[in-house]
Amino acid sequence: MIRLKNVTKYYNSENNVTLALNNINLEFFKGEFVAITGKSGSGKSTLMNVISGMDTYQDGEIFFEGMETSCFSKEDWENYRRDKISFIYQSYQLIDSYTALENVEAVMRIMGVENKKERRQKAMEILDKVGLKKRARQKASHLSSGQKQRLGIARALAKDTDIIIADEPTGNLDVENGAAVMKMLYELSKDKLVIVVTHNFEQVKEYATRKIRLFDGEVAEDVKLKPELYENGVWKEKEAIVPKERKKEHFFRQAVGFVRLNRKAQPHRTFFVFLFLTVSIAALFVMYGYLLSNMDDSVTKNASQDVFMNTDKNRILVRKPDGSPFTEKDYDTLMDVRYVHSINPYDLASEISCLHEANKDYQVHYQQSEYTSRKSITVNALDYSDFTCNAAGVEQELIAGKLPEKRYDVVVASDDESLIGTTTDIYFRSQNWPESIYIGGTFQITGIVNSELGQPYFSDLFLSGINFDYANKNLQIEYHVLKTITDSVDAKYNREELLDRRRDTILVEGEGLTGNQIRLSESLIMNLKTEDNSEDRVTTIERLYSQGTLIDKTDSENPVEYQVEVLEDGHNGSVNVVEASREFMEQVYGSMQETQISVYIDDYAYTDRVIDTLNEMGYQAVSVFRISADEYDSVLVQERMTALGISAGSLIVIFFLSVVVIYTIMKLKRKDFMILTSLGLKQKTILFMNRYELVTGSILSCVLLICVAIIAEKYQIFVISDLTKYYQVWDYGIVTVLAVLMSWITAELFHRHLRKFLGGKQ
Ligand code: ADP
Ligand code: MG
């Protein structure tokens, strides 16, 4: 059945060569029970390894069933080990983490028994035969030496091969157990070739048909103990080669079965691998997010206010391609867009700075007229960073009270609820307006919003009243003042003088006005009256004519004049501001319908996504910040480059560090793979097992982490949501691919290591 011809094997170590087998010529037959003896180091184990296809040799040839094995491919050897050889070791070589039953079943899995029931039933029968039925559910590591070796025999039974090789199977057993094991081997040996290496020939004397003694790698003795079974040194019985039906294993199912078994058998290891995978993949997610957050280079630019005053990063300007006005339906559609936080239809108004905190945002100077009882104020704007926004956008942030409804209602950002019902002074100023013009006055506080918002929010009515394109209009109010002058020297006569006064102005919508009625601000009235004082006049009684003219000088060639009717009462707090009716304003500024609006998003990180969506929906959308950001800030650029470097570097480091650590964890299990290989599990399956274990583990980690990310984003969990907001669907995909790649590489490395470790014919 097996013939060795001049087989020679030596081990090369650094400075000497050990001849382990020297010119061995032997032939073994089916039915034989061969005892191999010899001193320690005489080459017995080497011979067994060579015969069983686990080790290579340098010279000679081994014939298996007449075939030269030197032409065996790697796969042939794998099949040979799987289908022809059962090996029983002195050190048992059991998978400690498996139960006795699982150890036997593992062999059956390798042999391609896929039916779980069949496997279990057969395995239990075999365990019963070797007297281990009661120990079936016990871990191999918890068995006694005798039980371990009986389990080793059970495995050989499960393999049911023609050749059984046992290398000192009783070496670690006491006499009683040793005898029992030998007896079992003998019972197995019918119609099989059994080769037993032993120190204690007495133990096998009873069963052995032949005894071979090795000495220094050579056959020193080859005795037929039962000569009646041989004829001219050849086994008498004709060798009937009946090829056994071998199941072809389904390598995918086999691998998955083993991975599941391993995971179950070693829960701690499974947990640890998964934990480590999750930690390293989480680190990948963090670094990738950090990288994403630094991708957009407009964050390194400073926004200029050349075009837009309000360069809020979350502001997206939306128009319709045909320039038509927005409708309620548009607003509803836009509000439904993901990441849209609020809509400000009063886009022009949102360019107007809002000054709400005295001495921080503005300073006020009071002025009492010499000539009238009126008192006016001028406001000196200090800070232009807050803009006029509508309260609809902060509805969710309302802590107490209600949203503003009336023109001069307001909600303020504060923690103090008692402010509701009180009043506050707020002023407005645009850098598009002529110097010294501002709007403002006293507002009634109707509600409180979260103090973090830091600024007031206004009613739609107020905003629509100032939502005009002031920048494109050059307006002047022309008015006549009648002065009655008493001469200072003799005071004898009065003189009346009609004076023309002109002022640059802007128009805002005022309450209770119709047609061409207008209302001048106190400051405007004072300014119109008090210009041109002469020292020599003692008393001046002045009166404004109730008729005036508003001149639109936008087109300086053809100014447009509007006759206006001036109401007696003025309004407080605005310089050079004329209040008019909506009707009149529309005449001057054109249509009131909003053709351009602002959409505010939850975070600047979503800019691209929202713009893409809006463009797909047929709107024209641009990020105001991006248009305005035109100047690189060298400090920010430096920071961004550093951040990009750190995140990309860390990504790579984490990637490879994880590969190394997981590889190290995997290495702890290499003995199990060695055992499975010697039982005949194929390399292809082992490689697939490792890939499958790590890849499914990392995909599971990714799924877990993505769930965490989604929850974190939904509930705005600190730090996590700061990163997840940069993630788009495909970014999660990319990290998952990275994680899979990481596990793949690890599996590949581990497999290489295994091949090196297993050496020989692997
Ligand atoms: P036995 O099983 O009879 O005790 P072995 O077959 O294990 O003997 O060893 C035969 C000879 O080969 C011994 O001299 C031993 O030192 C040497 N040997 C065995 N395995 C190796 C190895 N992996 N590398 C180097 N020398 C080895
Ligand atoms: Mg040995």
Side-chain angles (χ1 to χ4, degrees), residues 44-45 90 167-168 197:
K44 303 182 297 290
S45 295
Q90 177 177 4
D167 190 354
E168 304 200 32
V197 173

PDB file of all heavy atoms in Angstrom, residues 44-45 90 167-168 197, ligand 2:
ATOM      1  N   LYS A  44      11.833   8.167  14.361  1.00  0.00           N
ATOM      2  CA  LYS A  44      10.508   7.546  14.279  1.00  0.00           C
ATOM      3  C   LYS A  44       9.440   8.579  13.883  1.00  0.00           C
ATOM      4  O   LYS A  44       8.663   8.369  12.947  1.00  0.00           O
ATOM      5  CB  LYS A  44      10.139   6.916  15.638  1.00  0.00           C
ATOM      6  CG  LYS A  44      11.154   5.891  16.142  1.00  0.00           C
ATOM      7  CD  LYS A  44      10.746   5.262  17.457  1.00  0.00           C
ATOM      8  CE  LYS A  44      10.641   6.232  18.621  1.00  0.00           C
ATOM      9  NZ  LYS A  44      11.930   6.775  19.116  1.00  0.00           N
ATOM     10  N   SER A  45       9.449   9.686  14.613  1.00  0.00           N
ATOM     11  CA  SER A  45       8.437  10.712  14.320  1.00  0.00           C
ATOM     12  C   SER A  45       8.608  11.251  12.915  1.00  0.00           C
ATOM     13  O   SER A  45       7.641  11.482  12.191  1.00  0.00           O
ATOM     14  CB  SER A  45       8.538  11.853  15.322  1.00  0.00           C
ATOM     15  OG  SER A  45       8.204  11.373  16.603  1.00  0.00           O
ATOM     16  N   GLN A  90       1.065  11.660  20.484  1.00  0.00           N
ATOM     17  CA  GLN A  90       1.381  11.500  21.904  1.00  0.00           C
ATOM     18  C   GLN A  90       0.751  12.635  22.702  1.00  0.00           C
ATOM     19  O   GLN A  90       0.212  12.443  23.788  1.00  0.00           O
ATOM     20  CB  GLN A  90       2.898  11.524  22.090  1.00  0.00           C
ATOM     21  CG  GLN A  90       3.309  11.433  23.542  1.00  0.00           C
ATOM     22  CD  GLN A  90       4.824  11.381  23.697  1.00  0.00           C
ATOM     23  OE1 GLN A  90       5.580  11.486  22.740  1.00  0.00           O
ATOM     24  NE2 GLN A  90       5.259  11.186  24.931  1.00  0.00           N
ATOM     25  N   ASP A 167       1.780   8.028  16.847  1.00  0.00           N
ATOM     26  CA  ASP A 167       3.146   8.316  17.278  1.00  0.00           C
ATOM     27  C   ASP A 167       3.170   8.358  18.808  1.00  0.00           C
ATOM     28  O   ASP A 167       2.756   9.336  19.411  1.00  0.00           O
ATOM     29  CB  ASP A 167       3.599   9.658  16.680  1.00  0.00           C
ATOM     30  CG  ASP A 167       5.089   9.895  16.896  1.00  0.00           C
ATOM     31  OD1 ASP A 167       5.719   9.082  17.606  1.00  0.00           O
ATOM     32  OD2 ASP A 167       5.602  10.889  16.360  1.00  0.00           O
ATOM     33  N   GLU A 168       3.650   7.288  19.402  1.00  0.00           N
ATOM     34  CA  GLU A 168       3.698   7.131  20.846  1.00  0.00           C
ATOM     35  C   GLU A 168       2.374   7.506  21.510  1.00  0.00           C
ATOM     36  O   GLU A 168       2.325   8.372  22.367  1.00  0.00           O
ATOM     37  CB  GLU A 168       4.842   7.965  21.439  1.00  0.00           C
ATOM     38  CG  GLU A 168       6.166   7.592  20.792  1.00  0.00           C
ATOM     39  CD  GLU A 168       7.372   7.997  21.633  1.00  0.00           C
ATOM     40  OE1 GLU A 168       7.251   7.983  22.860  1.00  0.00           O
ATOM     41  OE2 GLU A 168       8.409   8.319  21.038  1.00  0.00           O
ATOM     42  N   VAL A 197       4.050   3.864  16.821  1.00  0.00           N
ATOM     43  CA  VAL A 197       5.379   4.100  17.374  1.00  0.00           C
ATOM     44  C   VAL A 197       5.277   3.890  18.871  1.00  0.00           C
ATOM     45  O   VAL A 197       4.353   4.411  19.501  1.00  0.00           O
ATOM     46  CB  VAL A 197       5.851   5.536  17.069  1.00  0.00           C
ATOM     47  CG1 VAL A 197       7.156   5.827  17.787  1.00  0.00           C
ATOM     48  CG2 VAL A 197       5.994   5.746  15.575  1.00  0.00           C
TER      49      VAL A 197
HETATM   50 MG    MG B   2       9.206  11.070  18.410  1.00  0.00          MG
END
